[in-house]
Each structure stands twice: as structure tokens, then as C-alpha cells.
Amino acid sequence: MNKVSLFIPCTVDILLPEIGVHTLRLLRSLGVTPVYHEAQTCCGQPSLNAGHLELARKTARHMIAIFENDEAIVSPSGSCVHMIKHHYVELFEGDRTWRARAEALSPRIFELSQYIVDVLGIRDVGASFNGKVTYHESCHVLRGLGVSDQPKALLAGVTGAEFVLLANADRCCGFGGEFAIQYPDISEDLVKDKVKHFLASGADVLILCEPGCLLNINGYLSRNHPGKRAMHLAGFLSENIKGHTR
Amino acid sequence: MRVTTHRFKAVVKKEIADLSSRTFLSFLPPLFAALRQAAMASFPDPAGAHAYAADIRAEVVAHLPELLEEFERNATGHGAKVIWARDAQEANEFILNLAKEKNITLVTKGKSMVSEEIGINEVLLGNGIETYETDLGEFITQQLDRPPFHIVGPAVNISLQEICDLFMEKAGMTEPTMDPVKLGYAARLFLRDKFHRVEMGITGVNMAVAETGSLINVENEGNIRLSKSSPRIQVALMSIEKVVPTMKDALHLVRVLCRHCTGQAISAYVSIDTGPKRPGEIDGPEELYIVIVDNGRSTFYRDLRAREVLRCIRCGACMNNCPVYTTIGGYPYGWAYSGPMGQALNPLLLGLEQTQDLYRACTLCGSCKTVCPAGVDHPGLFLYYRTKDVEGDRAFGGMTRHWKETTAFRLFTYGTTHPWFWNLASKIIRPFYNNGARDGMVSELPGPFEAWFRSRNLPAMPKRTFHEEWKRIGKIPAEGPTHGSAPE
């Protein structure tokens, strides 16, 4: 059995816990029984992005200590994985001990779709969906982790789902954490553009692997285009596995 | 050039509502981005070509002092005069004094970003010396007194009507026309006359080759070549990072630069000049002055992370791919360098205080870093500047943050390192946050999050956090795989 550990980002913990539940159900349906360390909180990305490095280091030390004994850590958020995988190492540039601990952790943390496709070697999770889907290439999933083929492979494995192209799929949706609040004019324009392309794609649902983008895109859709929605890949797959109930 | 970066947010509002800016932005940057991709594919090994370019620029940054001295030796050896300018004032004074000493009344200029950085046009014009930008786009922006909208197309957002009116008023055009070819011809006639009479040409430098002392210019209009070869006196302005080690390196960078700028395999004109006119040669300037401008760069060169910005070759690929630039255009950045290039460079040249919005107005999407052929890590630099600002590092002009922000982040960090507090806090916040939620959605909240809710909702906090869900469903053992193939 894999000694797999779940890392559930703070946005999911507090605002979107169903994504965490779906991640858990999905992994279990694939024969993986993840553990969940209840002392986990947040990866500290907001502090790093705001330039409060000393505070980001405190959070990072807490998280490293929690996860460093796991063989593999899986998370339904590309940006949080990017934070732990790449930024933790940089945060401890001048600290040999903690840098070594961050470096040891780095190769063992995976974004969910990356784990399922690259580690488990599974492309068909047994889901079926009668409709059109498209995929938003979240910045930190695509450019942070280089993950793009994996989620699309999982979508291709969904029986009945027709994949349609999303124009400018790799362009930022305008979330950017505190950016969305500090520069709402720019942020709104970007999410509007993303939604415009989603509607034009003809897809029934927009799939993504990043809770931040999900909050942004669904936040805009629910206000301006009720009835259309984006879904996290974990939720989409888990909800559409035959005989799977919540 | 006036710096208006402090008005960033106000100009953003204006530009987002400006139709002609938006029309241009929806068209040209994506076109350039697509052309770049196609052009890079013409290399037998595109990734290798990209990596080689980045390696050259890394070497330049690592050995900048030695390379500059080597360049000075070789350029001087070929008869050029090399002048070191510590700052904008020294560079401007040298050029102005030279012009006065030589009784210059007319100067033509080739496009040069560093000339806009130091503001040489204003100095010369202020001293009664006729000074003309001769790149068509730069000519238009100079006459309109506006900053460049885009590094490759500085006036590309200006409407035909506005250009027609401008040329009628300032470029001797006698009949109004909306035909771009006729407008171009009018500018050509007007500028050709200046080239006939020009006494001093001021040009920028794309690459200064240390090994040979040569200057390389890349352009599509031929105006730089005219500014280099027509006048008796040529002044080549370069910032310190323009130097490259060898001609082989320089030629590779030219290939990469053209592909990233405009998607061309090579620009219409590439001129490589070594020293002034030699006896027996029929053209070229009699005197060549190479002004190497520091303007604060050697100060931040001591900082190993900040110096990486000096890799930049000013191709503009970053802005064509930037979600923020392609939404707001070049004006909000408020200076010569816009887009991620300017966001990375301007804070170091102008200080962190007045450039707050440059290193904060970024979603950290990483597109710029991905396309940058010089290997600049723009988002990494922005995070670095934010840190320097939080620390109040005076060497960078850092200011420290408002106590409210600092306190909020301290509290947040206490939560992230104390799970009992974290879980308690989410319980306490829930009723306040959910107050006013409808159909599972929150549509307004007071305080710092207000801006979010202008056009967006957030989900209401569900009854249980994942922590709480786990207590209910987490401990149930799985019954083995139900779907998919089992992992080994």
C-alpha cells in the first residue's frame, strides 16, 4: 500500500471542502488510502507573495515538519504544490538544515492529476460524462509544475466526454491572490476574458486543477452567467464515476 | 522623460476604457506572440537556441566589468571615443557640451530606450538644438509627447486621424489623408530632409561586442543606418548591460532577438560598425563617441539577485505574453520601459517607493519568464522587491508596509503554525462571513475584500471544513480499488 498523504490547501479546507472530499474518494477508488495530518494548515503562499519572507519561513517549517516523513504527498492545488516543491527550497537559501529538509520533501509532493497519471499510471478512472468539457491551464499548474498533459489525459479517459478547445487556455484568469483585490480593474477584465472564451468554446463545464482559479472563475460566473460553472478535476471525475455517491 | 508611475492605477482605469488601446491590444501582442513561436520553430533546436541565448546573457552579467573594459579597449583601438557616464546627468551633459562645441543645430535620433531613460531629447531641445526621432513610431510619440505604448510599436495605438492631424500640424503635410502609405511617405519626406542636413546622429546599441569593439543595431526602417552613416558625428548611447563577449554570441543573440521582437528570422536592416570612418572609406561618421550609461546599474549590480535583470535584451516578448500588459497597454507603467521588462528594471532604477505598482501588479503567472530568451525570472524579481519593501531596505528605497498589513500577516502566520487556533478561527469567522449569504454564495463583504465583490461572488463557508469532514469520513478504511487499474 502506498503511504500517501493528503495536503488540502486552506482555500479548499475552508471554502471548498467538497474538493477535498472528492480528492479523497477519487484516490480511494483507485486503491490509494491516503492519510491526512490534522495539524496541516496553509502552505504560506500569501505571505511569500506579499514579501513577508520571515513569516513564510515560519509557516514552511511547520508544514515541512508535518509532511517530511511521508512517501508521497498529493494535493488538489497546483500553486500550493509549486510553493512547497519550489519556493520552500528558495526560502531556506541561507539555512543549511532547513534547506536540506525542504529539498528532501520537494520531489515527493505531487499535484493530484500528476500523481494519478505519472505515479499510479492510471488514465481511465472509470468515469463517464455525457457532454462537452474543456480545460483551463492554470498558471502554476502549467508553468509552475509543467503539468498539462496529465489532466487532459484523465479527461480523455472519461467515457462519453467530448473535449473542446478553449481559446487562450494558458492565459491567466486574473486571480493572483492579493492581486485580485489590489488591482480589481485588471483582474476583472482578465476573468471576463477567460469566461468569454469558456462560453465561446461551447463546453458544458470548464475543468481546472487550481482552487484559486476556481474561486475566481466561478465567482464571476455565478454573478454574471448563473448556470455555467467551472469544476475542479477531482470533483468532476469523482462525481462522474459510475455508482459513486457522496 | 517624465516618470508617471505613481499614477498607475488611475491610468489603468483610463486605458481599460480606451477603445483604441483595447483594439490594438487584442490584436498586435497576440500576433507578435504567435509570430515569435513560429519563428523560433525555424531553429533546428529551438529549446537549445533559447538556452544558448540565456547562457550568453548569464555570462554577460557574471563578467560585466571585464567585458566592458575589453569592449572599451577594442572600440578605442578602432578609433572610437568611449565615455563613461555615471548617471543621466553626466551622459546628457557630455552630449550637450559636445553638440555645443561642434556647433550642432540639428540632431537625428535612432530609437534608443536608454535615451528615453536619460531624457536626452528634452535636454537638447531645451538648449535650442533641433532633435528628431526618426523611427516612425518614435517620431509620432515624440511629437505627441507621450511615452511609448509598446517597445516595438511605440505609437501603434494612435489612430490614423490623430496621426493625420499631427502630420498636418507638425510634419509639413499639406493635404489630409487616412492612407497609411501616404502618411508614411509624408513622414519620410519630412525626415529625409533632416537626414540631408544632419550634423549629429544619436543612436542606441543592441549589442556591443567586447571581442571586436563593434556596435550592432537591429531595425526595420533604415533610419538608424542613416543616423549612423549620414552625420559627421555619431553618438552611440548604451547602458552597461548591452555588451556581449564575442561576435559569435552577438550574432546568435541577433537571431534570437529578431524572432522574439517581431517574429522575423532577421530584421530588414542589421548594421555592424567598428569605429568611425577610416581613411579611404566613403561613408560613416568622422567621429564616433560611445557613451556607456550606468545610471544606478552598478549599484544594484552588487546584489546578486537584482543584477539578473541586466540579462534583458529588450525584445518585448515578455509584454506580448503578459496578461496584465495585454490588458492595460504601455501607458500605466509611466516610463520608457513597460510590461514585465519595465516592472523588473524600473524599480531598481527609480527606487521601490514610487514603483510599488510595478512589482505588485502581477499575478505571478510566469508567462514572461517562460518566453524570456535572456533567462530573466521576472516573477522571482517581483517577489524579491516585495521582500525588500517589506524589510524597508533603504538601499532599494524600500518603505516597510502599513502596520495593519504586517499585523494581519503575523496573525495569519500564528494560525498557520498553531492548528488549534487555525481551526478555531475558521469556526469563529464562519457566521460573520456567511451573514448575508444567499444560495450558498456571498456577494459582499466589508473591508479589504470589498474589491473582489464588485463583479464576483465567493462561496459561503460550508457547515464543515475539510478538517471536520475528515473526522467523519477519514477513518473509514477503503474497500480496495473500485475503478481503474490497481497501482502496484
Side-chain angles (χ1 to χ4, degrees):
Chain A
M1 191 157 59
N2 293 292
K3 277 176 70 182
V4 178
S5 159
L6 268 187
F7 165 43
I8 299 300
C10 61
T11 46
V12 173
D13 181 40
I14 295 167
L15 291 174
L16 306 163
E18 71 277 8
I19 293 177
V21 174
H22 284 309
T23 302
L24 180 64
R25 288 183 187 278
L26 181 62
L27 286 171
R28 281 179 174 174
S29 81
L30 301 174
V32 180
T33 313
V35 296
Y36 178 75
H37 305 305
E38 294 186 43
Q40 65 182 273
T41 50
C42 163
C43 65
Q45 202 181 164
S47 304
L48 175 90
N49 289 355
H52 294 277
L53 280 203
E54 212 28 71
L55 298 176
R57 282 188 196 105
K58 276 190 188 168
T59 303
R61 282 192 283 263
H62 175 78
M63 295 294 274
I64 291 171
I66 288 173
F67 286 105
E68 66 188 340
N69 295 316
D70 299 322
E71 272 176 32
I73 303 114
V74 182
S75 175
S77 163
S79 72
C80 303
V81 171
H82 177 52
M83 172 79 185
I84 295 178
K85 204 175 187 63
H86 301 129
H87 286 305
Y88 275 16
V89 178
E90 294 165 13
L91 273 175
F92 296 110
E93 224 161 40
D95 180 338
R96 197 177 290 182
T97 314
W98 279 100
R99 189 186 166 106
R101 290 171 74 170
E103 275 174 350
L105 179 61
S106 172
R108 289 184 281 125
I109 180 155
F110 301 92
E111 184 277 326
L112 177 65
S113 70
Q114 187 182 29
Y115 182 76
I116 296 175
V117 174
D118 295 351
V119 180
L120 298 182
I122 295 173
R123 287 159 173 261
D124 178 359
V125 300
S128 58
F129 177 76
N130 185 23
K132 294 176 182 169
V133 297
T134 192
Y135 177 71
H136 164 60
E137 308 262 9
S138 296
C139 302
H140 290 166
V141 178
L142 175 68
R143 285 175 289 269
L145 299 174
V147 169
S148 170
D149 294 343
Q150 297 91 330
K152 285 186 273 194
L154 290 170
L155 287 174
V158 176
T159 312
E162 184 192 340
F163 190 86
V164 294
L165 285 180
L166 177 70
N168 294 345
D170 62 351
R171 188 172 190 243
C172 180
C173 73
F175 178 63
E178 62 172 26
F179 172 86
I181 291 156
Q182 288 182 358
Y183 301 94
D185 292 317
I186 308 172
S187 177
E188 276 170 32
D189 206 80
L190 289 169
V191 71
K192 199 167 132 190
D193 203 57
K194 180 59 67 184
V195 163
K196 183 183 88 185
H197 290 305
F198 167 41
L199 298 179
S201 75
D204 299 303
V205 56
L206 175 66
I207 308 295
L208 40 73
C209 297
E210 185 61 63
C213 308
L214 191 73
L215 289 174
N216 191 34
I217 296 172
N218 270 347
Y220 186 84
L221 282 171
S222 82
R223 177 81 62 94
N224 302 284
H225 302 276
K228 295 299 273 186
R229 66 172 179 158
M231 279 185 88
H232 193 285
L233 180 69
F236 178 74
L237 294 177
S238 163
E239 276 188 9
N240 290 298
I241 290 178
K242 285 171 286 263
H244 227 217
T245 48
R246 241 198 99 160
Chain B
M1 179 174 284
R2 285 186 317 276
V3 181
T4 58
T5 307
H6 57 282
R7 297 183 49 235
F8 184 88
K9 284 184 179 172
V11 184
V12 163
K13 241 183 209 332
K14 191 165 158 280
E15 286 298 295
I16 282 188
D18 186 304
L19 264 183
S20 73
S21 293
R22 297 310 298 264
T23 309
F24 157 73
L25 287 169
S26 66
F27 167 67
L28 203 78
L31 176 69
F32 276 153
L35 289 173
R36 180 197 69 88
Q37 245 177 342
M40 280 307 281
S42 69
F43 277 121
D45 173 9
H50 194 111
Y52 175 25
D55 282 353
I56 295 169
R57 294 308 300 168
E59 186 186 346
V60 168
V61 172
H63 301 289
L64 194 52
E66 302 91 308
L67 287 171
L68 282 166
E69 283 170 6
E70 186 187 348
F71 172 75
E72 180 188 29
R73 267 197 311 280
N74 290 322
T76 309
H78 285 103
K81 296 187 179 71
V82 173
I83 294 91
W84 299 91
R86 252 178 295 238
D87 52 24
Q89 199 189 341
E90 273 192 21
N92 288 335
E93 270 173 16
F94 169 80
I95 298 170
L96 177 64
N97 290 338
L98 179 70
K100 282 183 176 165
E101 185 193 313
K102 308 278 179 183
N103 296 316
I104 304 290
T105 57
L106 177 66
V107 170
T108 61
K109 275 196 64 219
K111 180 165 158 180
S112 150
M113 301 314 291
V114 70
S115 80
E116 304 194 26
E117 175 187 327
I118 65 174
I120 182 67
N121 287 3
E122 290 87 337
V123 171
L124 293 176
L125 287 165
N127 282 274
I129 298 169
E130 273 187 87
T131 306
Y132 291 97
E133 292 288 351
T134 58
D135 172 277
L136 181 56
E138 290 285 335
F139 175 65
I140 294 168
T141 51
Q142 183 196 15
Q143 300 306 322
L144 287 172
D145 191 24
R146 292 207 199 153
F149 189 80
H150 185 277
I151 190 167
V152 179
V156 74
N157 60 318
I158 311 288
S159 70
L160 285 173
Q161 184 62 58
E162 206 173 342
I163 294 171
C164 170
D165 295 345
L166 178 74
F167 284 6
M168 292 290 287
E169 187 196 334
K170 293 187 173 172
M173 199 165 76
T174 48
E175 265 180 54
T177 175
M178 299 289 270
D179 179 351
V181 176
K182 286 186 181 152
L183 286 169
Y185 188 68
R188 190 188 175 106
L189 277 184
F190 181 80
L191 290 172
R192 206 39 80 104
D193 168 63
K194 311 300 167 204
F195 285 126
H196 280 307
R197 301 191 285 118
V198 67
E199 296 152 332
M200 179 195 267
I202 300 180
T203 54
V205 171
N206 285 109
M207 278 139 223
V209 186
E211 176 188 51
T212 60
S214 313
L215 298 177
I216 303 184
N217 287 86
V218 172
E219 56 163 334
N220 278 317
E221 297 179 24
N223 62 303
I224 295 180
R225 178 166 290 194
L226 282 169
S227 290
K228 278 173 108 174
S229 57
S230 305
R232 278 186 299 122
I233 297 163
Q234 192 210 338
V235 176
L237 261 176
M238 60 179 266
S239 50
I240 56 173
E241 70 269 32
K242 289 292 172 177
V243 71
V244 288
T246 66
M247 187 58 86
K248 189 167 166 263
D249 293 335
L251 294 180
H252 180 70
L253 282 180
V254 167
R255 292 184 193 104
V256 171
L257 173 66
C258 295
R259 282 169 169 81
H260 278 74
C261 248
T262 49
Q264 293 167 288
I266 191 87
S267 56
Y269 300 87
V270 175
S271 39
I272 305 177
D273 296 281
T274 311
K277 180 160 82 177
R278 267 168 269 189
E281 288 182 343
I282 55 166
D283 58 13
E286 286 157 25
E287 298 171 48
L288 170 63
Y289 299 88
I290 302 171
V291 181
I292 303 179
V293 182
D294 179 347
N295 210 22
R297 288 169 175 79
S298 60
T299 309
F300 68 74
Y301 184 74
R302 290 178 213 136
D303 186 288
L304 292 180
R305 290 202 63 181
R307 68 158 67 169
E308 289 297 308
V309 78
L310 297 174
R311 287 167 170 249
C312 176
I313 57 171
R314 314 275 187 270
C315 67
C318 55
M319 59 183 75
N320 294 332
N321 288 276
C322 173
V324 173
Y325 174 86
T326 52
T327 302
I328 65 175
Y331 292 158
Y333 302 85
W335 205 35
Y337 310 102
S338 62
M341 166 202 304
Q343 290 172 273
L345 184 59
N346 303 358
L348 295 173
L349 296 175
L350 302 169
L352 295 182
E353 186 181 353
Q354 64 168 324
T355 54
Q356 289 279 338
D357 288 321
L358 297 187
Y359 54 91
R360 294 187 186 278
C362 170
T363 67
L364 306 173
C365 84
S367 295
C368 46
K369 172 187 175 177
T370 309
V371 295
C372 178
V376 176
D377 175 5
H378 310 78
L381 285 167
F382 305 156
L383 290 179
Y384 188 59
Y385 302 159
R386 292 176 194 181
T387 304
K388 290 288 162 194
D389 189 46
V390 165
E391 288 169 358
D393 190 329
R394 291 312 299 160
F396 286 81
M399 293 296 290
T400 72
R401 302 294 287 169
H402 195 279
W403 66 267
K404 279 186 189 166
E405 180 187 305
T406 311
T407 308
F409 275 101
R410 287 208 177 118
L411 196 65
F412 167 72
T413 305
Y414 187 83
T416 62
T417 51
H418 297 80
W420 67 267
F421 181 81
W422 181 263
N423 293 323
L424 181 66
S426 35
K427 275 203 183 67
I428 294 173
I429 291 167
R430 187 182 287 132
F432 295 101
Y433 175 86
N434 282 354
N435 183 27
R438 247 189 243 164
D439 301 329
M441 281 290 175
V442 174
S443 58
E444 59 180 329
L445 273 187
F449 294 98
E450 203 179 346
W452 173 276
F453 294 97
R454 288 191 342 193
S455 65
R456 282 167 288 206
N457 298 328
L458 273 180
M461 281 171 71
K463 262 190 251 149
R464 287 181 288 274
T465 61
F466 184 79
H467 272 93
E468 291 162 314
E469 289 283 3
W470 175 262
K471 288 189 201 305
R472 291 160 46 91
I473 60 169
K475 305 288 159 57
I476 303 166
E479 292 159 12
T482 54
H483 292 284
S485 48
E488 286 166 21

PDB file of all heavy atoms in Angstrom, chain A residues 28-39:
ATOM      1  N   ARG A  28      -9.233   6.892  -3.171  1.00  0.00           N
ATOM      2  CA  ARG A  28      -9.665   5.595  -2.613  1.00  0.00           C
ATOM      3  C   ARG A  28     -10.197   4.679  -3.703  1.00  0.00           C
ATOM      4  O   ARG A  28      -9.946   3.478  -3.694  1.00  0.00           O
ATOM      5  CB  ARG A  28     -10.740   5.816  -1.550  1.00  0.00           C
ATOM      6  CG  ARG A  28     -10.147   6.261  -0.225  1.00  0.00           C
ATOM      7  CD  ARG A  28     -11.259   6.490   0.775  1.00  0.00           C
ATOM      8  NE  ARG A  28     -10.720   6.785   2.096  1.00  0.00           N
ATOM      9  CZ  ARG A  28     -11.468   7.130   3.133  1.00  0.00           C
ATOM     10  NH1 ARG A  28     -12.785   7.237   2.994  1.00  0.00           N
ATOM     11  NH2 ARG A  28     -10.917   7.384   4.294  1.00  0.00           N
ATOM     12  N   SER A  29     -10.923   5.260  -4.650  1.00  0.00           N
ATOM     13  CA  SER A  29     -11.476   4.429  -5.728  1.00  0.00           C
ATOM     14  C   SER A  29     -10.360   3.858  -6.597  1.00  0.00           C
ATOM     15  O   SER A  29     -10.561   2.895  -7.322  1.00  0.00           O
ATOM     16  CB  SER A  29     -12.462   5.238  -6.576  1.00  0.00           C
ATOM     17  OG  SER A  29     -11.761   6.022  -7.518  1.00  0.00           O
ATOM     18  N   LEU A  30      -9.191   4.479  -6.528  1.00  0.00           N
ATOM     19  CA  LEU A  30      -8.052   3.988  -7.309  1.00  0.00           C
ATOM     20  C   LEU A  30      -7.136   3.102  -6.463  1.00  0.00           C
ATOM     21  O   LEU A  30      -6.030   2.760  -6.869  1.00  0.00           O
ATOM     22  CB  LEU A  30      -7.260   5.168  -7.888  1.00  0.00           C
ATOM     23  CG  LEU A  30      -8.069   6.104  -8.794  1.00  0.00           C
ATOM     24  CD1 LEU A  30      -7.235   7.306  -9.196  1.00  0.00           C
ATOM     25  CD2 LEU A  30      -8.579   5.377 -10.024  1.00  0.00           C
ATOM     26  N   GLY A  31      -7.607   2.778  -5.286  1.00  0.00           N
ATOM     27  CA  GLY A  31      -6.862   1.857  -4.446  1.00  0.00           C
ATOM     28  C   GLY A  31      -5.827   2.499  -3.552  1.00  0.00           C
ATOM     29  O   GLY A  31      -4.984   1.834  -2.965  1.00  0.00           O
ATOM     30  N   VAL A  32      -5.883   3.803  -3.453  1.00  0.00           N
ATOM     31  CA  VAL A  32      -4.931   4.508  -2.603  1.00  0.00           C
ATOM     32  C   VAL A  32      -5.672   4.956  -1.334  1.00  0.00           C
ATOM     33  O   VAL A  32      -6.750   5.518  -1.417  1.00  0.00           O
ATOM     34  CB  VAL A  32      -4.369   5.745  -3.327  1.00  0.00           C
ATOM     35  CG1 VAL A  32      -3.382   6.484  -2.436  1.00  0.00           C
ATOM     36  CG2 VAL A  32      -3.716   5.334  -4.631  1.00  0.00           C
ATOM     37  N   THR A  33      -5.104   4.670  -0.207  1.00  0.00           N
ATOM     38  CA  THR A  33      -5.755   5.084   1.041  1.00  0.00           C
ATOM     39  C   THR A  33      -4.910   6.150   1.717  1.00  0.00           C
ATOM     40  O   THR A  33      -4.000   5.846   2.472  1.00  0.00           O
ATOM     41  CB  THR A  33      -5.906   3.872   1.984  1.00  0.00           C
ATOM     42  OG1 THR A  33      -6.435   2.797   1.223  1.00  0.00           O
ATOM     43  CG2 THR A  33      -6.854   4.198   3.128  1.00  0.00           C
ATOM     44  N   PRO A  34      -5.182   7.381   1.409  1.00  0.00           N
ATOM     45  CA  PRO A  34      -4.315   8.432   1.941  1.00  0.00           C
ATOM     46  C   PRO A  34      -4.565   8.706   3.417  1.00  0.00           C
ATOM     47  O   PRO A  34      -5.666   8.481   3.929  1.00  0.00           O
ATOM     48  CB  PRO A  34      -4.688   9.653   1.103  1.00  0.00           C
ATOM     49  CG  PRO A  34      -6.005   9.374   0.507  1.00  0.00           C
ATOM     50  CD  PRO A  34      -6.268   7.915   0.578  1.00  0.00           C
ATOM     51  N   VAL A  35      -3.527   9.143   4.078  1.00  0.00           N
ATOM     52  CA  VAL A  35      -3.682   9.646   5.444  1.00  0.00           C
ATOM     53  C   VAL A  35      -3.805  11.172   5.372  1.00  0.00           C
ATOM     54  O   VAL A  35      -3.499  11.787   4.345  1.00  0.00           O
ATOM     55  CB  VAL A  35      -2.484   9.278   6.336  1.00  0.00           C
ATOM     56  CG1 VAL A  35      -2.387   7.770   6.480  1.00  0.00           C
ATOM     57  CG2 VAL A  35      -1.174   9.844   5.768  1.00  0.00           C
ATOM     58  N   TYR A  36      -4.272  11.767   6.441  1.00  0.00           N
ATOM     59  CA  TYR A  36      -4.421  13.223   6.476  1.00  0.00           C
ATOM     60  C   TYR A  36      -3.884  13.718   7.812  1.00  0.00           C
ATOM     61  O   TYR A  36      -4.386  13.326   8.874  1.00  0.00           O
ATOM     62  CB  TYR A  36      -5.900  13.589   6.326  1.00  0.00           C
ATOM     63  CG  TYR A  36      -6.183  15.076   6.404  1.00  0.00           C
ATOM     64  CD1 TYR A  36      -5.870  15.916   5.335  1.00  0.00           C
ATOM     65  CD2 TYR A  36      -6.766  15.635   7.541  1.00  0.00           C
ATOM     66  CE1 TYR A  36      -6.140  17.275   5.395  1.00  0.00           C
ATOM     67  CE2 TYR A  36      -7.039  17.002   7.609  1.00  0.00           C
ATOM     68  CZ  TYR A  36      -6.728  17.809   6.533  1.00  0.00           C
ATOM     69  OH  TYR A  36      -6.993  19.156   6.593  1.00  0.00           O
ATOM     70  N   HIS A  37      -2.859  14.516   7.762  1.00  0.00           N
ATOM     71  CA  HIS A  37      -2.301  15.047   9.008  1.00  0.00           C
ATOM     72  C   HIS A  37      -3.127  16.245   9.448  1.00  0.00           C
ATOM     73  O   HIS A  37      -3.168  17.263   8.761  1.00  0.00           O
ATOM     74  CB  HIS A  37      -0.850  15.473   8.803  1.00  0.00           C
ATOM     75  CG  HIS A  37       0.019  14.390   8.266  1.00  0.00           C
ATOM     76  ND1 HIS A  37       0.145  13.162   8.875  1.00  0.00           N
ATOM     77  CD2 HIS A  37       0.812  14.327   7.156  1.00  0.00           C
ATOM     78  CE1 HIS A  37       0.971  12.398   8.181  1.00  0.00           C
ATOM     79  NE2 HIS A  37       1.382  13.086   7.126  1.00  0.00           N
ATOM     80  N   GLU A  38      -3.759  16.100  10.603  1.00  0.00           N
ATOM     81  CA  GLU A  38      -4.699  17.135  11.010  1.00  0.00           C
ATOM     82  C   GLU A  38      -4.027  18.433  11.454  1.00  0.00           C
ATOM     83  O   GLU A  38      -4.687  19.446  11.640  1.00  0.00           O
ATOM     84  CB  GLU A  38      -5.639  16.594  12.095  1.00  0.00           C
ATOM     85  CG  GLU A  38      -6.527  15.494  11.523  1.00  0.00           C
ATOM     86  CD  GLU A  38      -7.587  15.019  12.499  1.00  0.00           C
ATOM     87  OE1 GLU A  38      -8.196  15.878  13.161  1.00  0.00           O
ATOM     88  OE2 GLU A  38      -7.788  13.785  12.594  1.00  0.00           O
ATOM     89  N   ALA A  39      -2.722  18.393  11.614  1.00  0.00           N
ATOM     90  CA  ALA A  39      -2.012  19.618  12.027  1.00  0.00           C
ATOM     91  C   ALA A  39      -1.711  20.531  10.841  1.00  0.00           C
ATOM     92  O   ALA A  39      -1.174  21.619  11.006  1.00  0.00           O
ATOM     93  CB  ALA A  39      -0.724  19.246  12.751  1.00  0.00           C
TER      94      ALA A  39
END
